[in-house]
Amino acid sequence: MGRMVRLTEAGRILQLRAEQIIGLVDSTVSEISEHHKGLRGTISIGTVASTGVTLLPERIRSFHQSYPMVYFQLWEGDTHRITELLESRVIEVGLVRLPIDHAKKYNMLQLPTEPLMAAIGPAWSEGDDESPIRLSDLADLPILLLRRQHGTFIYEQFLEACKQSGFEPNVLCESSDIMTLLALAESGVGIAIVPKSAINLRASTSLQFREIIEPSLETTAAVIWLKNRFLSTPARRFIETFSTIKDKSSNVESKSRL
């Protein structure tokens, strides 16, 4: 019987360096080819609905004008689903809501925070009032929330804020689909708690969107991609388009990490 061969520590280091060199050579060859032929390929992106609808359309349009041979595949889901798609390498880039589980696995470009809003239909509104609403004013109203996920997201954030304010909210419905929550709110079922960017999801609506205060509640989106994974040149170029809207006060990965 043959002997089992195992790499020494020095052998493992050499193997790692060899893999990195091969990867660098392959990416360099690809970039040189792209330089001569023009940037081409497919970018696979996963996004949560309320983020993608506000950030992707104009970027994809502009990017496609500059690089007409680059195509897009879009996947939608909640933050947990997007991280699953990244880890299974179905997508290269994710647009998610923070925080995320196992954040150290990812490079991250954090985007500006946005307030949580109460989406209120005609059955619960009083005139055209769009002024901020206190969290305590929601205590006796039926609440519609994005379904809880793994980790701490809008659902847990809202419940914790209510607890700190001395009441337990009447959560009537949970859904992973933000459009469903907005439709239910507009029909008078209850008050939907959504990110401010959700306003752009319904072009024509009778909903009032009122910012929640006392306390103010915020949510933050981010562009993420797996560490130690080779990114295609189209994906790297597309990620760079988000650097123009990053929150300058945030701790973000530098472009040199792309």
Side-chain angles (χ1 to χ4, degrees):
M1 295 190 55
R3 293 184 303 168
M4 181 179 295
V5 178
R6 294 183 179 178
L7 286 175
T8 63
E9 183 62 27
R12 281 192 290 271
I13 293 173
L14 180 60
Q15 181 187 38
L16 175 61
R17 293 293 181 266
E19 290 172 348
Q20 291 174 337
I21 291 170
I22 291 171
L24 180 60
V25 170
D26 288 343
S27 63
T28 302
V29 170
S30 296
E31 290 191 22
I32 291 173
S33 176
E34 287 165 352
H35 177 74
H36 290 293
K37 298 179 180 178
L39 194 67
R40 62 182 62 208
T42 300
I43 307 174
S44 297
I45 302 172
T47 178
V48 293
S50 62
T51 302
V53 75
T54 56
L55 296 181
L56 287 180
E58 178 58 28
R59 275 177 172 71
I60 290 177
R61 185 194 66 79
S62 177
F63 197 87
H64 186 62
Q65 286 181 341
S66 300
Y67 306 107
M69 297 303 293
V70 174
Y71 302 92
F72 291 82
Q73 288 185 346
L74 299 181
W75 301 70
E76 285 195 352
D78 58 32
T79 292
H80 181 64
R81 175 60 176 159
I82 299 308
T83 57
E84 285 183 334
L85 291 172
L86 276 172
E87 292 184 25
S88 62
R89 299 177 182 265
V90 173
I91 61 174
E92 288 188 276
V93 182
L95 288 174
V96 299
R97 293 281 169 190
L98 299 179
I100 56 176
D101 292 332
H102 312 298
K104 292 183 179 180
K105 291 182 179 180
Y106 309 99
N107 290 316
M108 183 181 301
L109 186 66
Q110 187 168 313
L111 305 179
T113 59
E114 57 180 314
L116 289 185
M117 313 287 286
I120 305 173
W124 301 97
S125 61
E126 298 178 0
D128 296 324
D129 188 5
E130 294 185 357
S131 62
I133 186 171
R134 293 175 300 178
L135 182 64
S136 59
D137 291 336
L138 303 175
D140 298 321
L141 300 178
I143 300 298
L144 316 174
L145 282 175
L146 288 168
R147 179 174 297 139
R148 71 185 83 190
Q149 305 162 36
H150 298 276
T152 304
F153 294 89
I154 290 174
Y155 185 99
E156 288 81 3
Q157 180 186 4
F158 181 78
L159 263 61
E160 180 61 26
C162 292
K163 180 180 178 181
Q164 294 296 325
S165 297
F167 70 94
E168 182 176 345
N170 173 23
V171 179
L172 176 62
C173 178
E174 300 174 38
S175 175
S176 59
D177 186 348
I178 197 168
M179 292 295 291
T180 297
L181 293 183
L182 294 176
L184 290 172
E186 191 165 18
S187 68
V189 173
I191 313 300
I193 308 301
V194 295
K196 185 177 181 179
S197 55
I199 294 174
N200 300 301
L201 289 173
R202 297 179 73 85
S204 178
T205 179
S206 59
L207 288 170
Q208 292 179 6
F209 289 88
R210 300 175 63 181
E211 183 176 342
I212 299 172
I213 60 172
E214 298 182 16
S216 295
L217 302 178
E218 295 179 330
T219 182
T220 304
V223 184
I224 63 172
W225 60 102
L226 279 175
K227 289 182 178 179
N228 303 319
R229 175 189 176 180
F230 172 75
L231 282 180
S232 66
T233 301
R236 288 189 286 116
R237 295 278 179 85
F238 191 70
I239 289 172
E240 289 173 0
T241 68
F242 289 90
S243 64
T244 60
I245 61 169
K246 70 182 179 180
D247 186 351
K248 294 181 180 180
S249 65
S250 301
N251 180 21
V252 300
E253 298 285 341
S254 66
K255 287 185 180 180
S256 64
R257 295 288 299 276
L258 293 179

